[in-house]
Amino acid sequence: AETDATTTEVAKPIAKAENNVESADKAENENVTMGENMLEGEVDPLMIVKDLTTEHRAKILLSSLISPSGVTTHEFYSRYWGKRPLLAALDNGSGINAGDDDNDNRNAKSKKKTPMEDDPYKDKLEKEAMQHAKRLDGLLNRSIIHQMIRCNKLRYWLDLNVTQYTDTLGNGLKRRITLDPPPKKRKNRSSTPDDDDNLEYAVANPQDIWSNVDTSHCTLRLLRPHEHNDSIHTMLSLLESEFGCMVGSNAYLTPLHSQGFAPHYDDVDVFILQLEGYKRWRVYAPPNKMETLPRESSRDYTEKEVEE
């Protein structure tokens, strides 16, 4: 089960097919150095053409997303895919992926530095941290989201949701509420009552959206943002090539010290990219063996249920 706790962030889940509950504070990627080699004339032109195939680009993308974890794509598929959560973030010495013996050994080896290596090593880490923090700049942020809502007439329920995880009854039990205005039935239509074409969904007003986010501390969820963003669309297209299956996306913007969704698990694998701010994720083991690789998403759990 997953809980999307606290902070200001634009978190973006990518991809599909998961084992237990979602986790992730930061999913990272690093630079590919092919461009430097090309400028230095060290790469054969035929090798460049070969390396620019969709298959190679897709593999490079996946590798770049998980590279801060120190896990290779081969290790990812054999040890993590459909088996356990993986946090891809720069190692701060705290043992990021607990329980991973191989990763623990790599971390231990990397920490064996002589006194003369301390300063260069520190400089290297600081440089990596800077690259790490800026890697995904411009993929999606509040300004881009604002333009997306304003220019595309996004509709409640179909294109976005405004949600909140709160104690509405005052009994100490939090639950998720959705603040989207309900759709209205169209007049003079011959379709059946259950037909979506018979319903008219309200178009979101950016001012109303940001009032809910900034004043009421609600979470904004964008459904299928790749339909309105070429960069996200390209990323998902490459991941589809790598995984051999359909890949979709949602995007979440949550204010500081807020939460938009109840603990739950999904019926898909989820790759989460932390684009701005920070976020705390709590990851729990599957409730039972039958729910290890579920075919359906769970109901919303209470905090008491997942802590038991």
Side-chain angles (χ1 to χ4, degrees), residues 5 13 49 56 70 82 84 87 90 106 120 135 161 208 217 235 238:
V49 172
H56 282 82
R84 67 180 77 181
L87 174 61
L90 291 182
R106 282 193 299 270
R135 247 167 28 319
N161 304 119
D208 295 338
H217 306 290
M235 180 180 290
L238 286 172

Side-chain angles (χ1 to χ4, degrees), residues 110-259:
S110 68
K111 293 170 188 173
K112 294 180 180 179
K113 302 293 179 181
T114 65
M116 293 184 65
E117 292 178 309
D118 286 345
D119 287 344
Y121 184 62
K122 181 179 179 181
D123 292 342
K124 180 176 181 292
L125 291 180
E126 290 178 350
K127 183 178 180 180
E128 287 181 351
M130 184 66 68
Q131 293 174 337
H132 176 90
K134 295 183 177 181
R135 247 167 28 319
L136 300 173
D137 283 2
L139 182 63
L140 193 66
N141 53 41
R142 179 165 174 149
S143 176
I144 294 174
I145 292 173
H146 178 80
Q147 288 297 107
M148 191 181 296
I149 297 172
R150 186 179 66 85
C151 298
N152 296 285
K153 296 184 177 180
L154 301 190
R155 296 160 297 174
Y156 289 103
W157 296 102
L158 298 181
D159 303 310
L160 57 78
N161 304 119
V162 176
T163 68
Q164 199 170 38
Y165 183 62
T166 185
D167 177 11
T168 57
L169 301 178
N171 59 1
L173 293 177
K174 293 183 178 181
R175 65 186 183 94
R176 185 191 75 179
I177 59 173
T178 301
L179 283 66
D180 299 2
K184 297 179 180 179
K185 183 177 179 180
R186 297 180 188 272
K187 297 180 180 179
N188 303 322
R189 293 296 294 263
S190 58
S191 55
T192 63
D194 296 331
D195 191 345
D196 283 343
D197 291 338
N198 198 37
L199 299 176
E200 184 173 2
Y201 295 86
V203 174
N205 183 314
Q207 289 184 330
D208 295 338
I209 293 291
W210 299 124
S211 176
N212 279 318
V213 170
D214 297 332
T215 304
S216 301
H217 306 290
C218 296
T219 288
L220 169 63
R221 174 170 68 174
L222 296 175
L223 306 173
R224 308 177 314 282
H226 50 280
E227 293 183 356
H228 310 287
N229 184 293
D230 288 343
S231 296
I232 299 173
H233 184 278
T234 300
M235 180 180 290
L236 300 191
S237 178
L238 286 172
L239 291 175
E240 286 186 339
S241 176
E242 172 64 22
F243 298 133
C245 65
M246 294 182 63
V247 178
S249 67
N250 289 337
Y252 302 80
L253 191 151
T254 301
L256 188 66
H257 304 311
S258 300
Q259 184 170 333

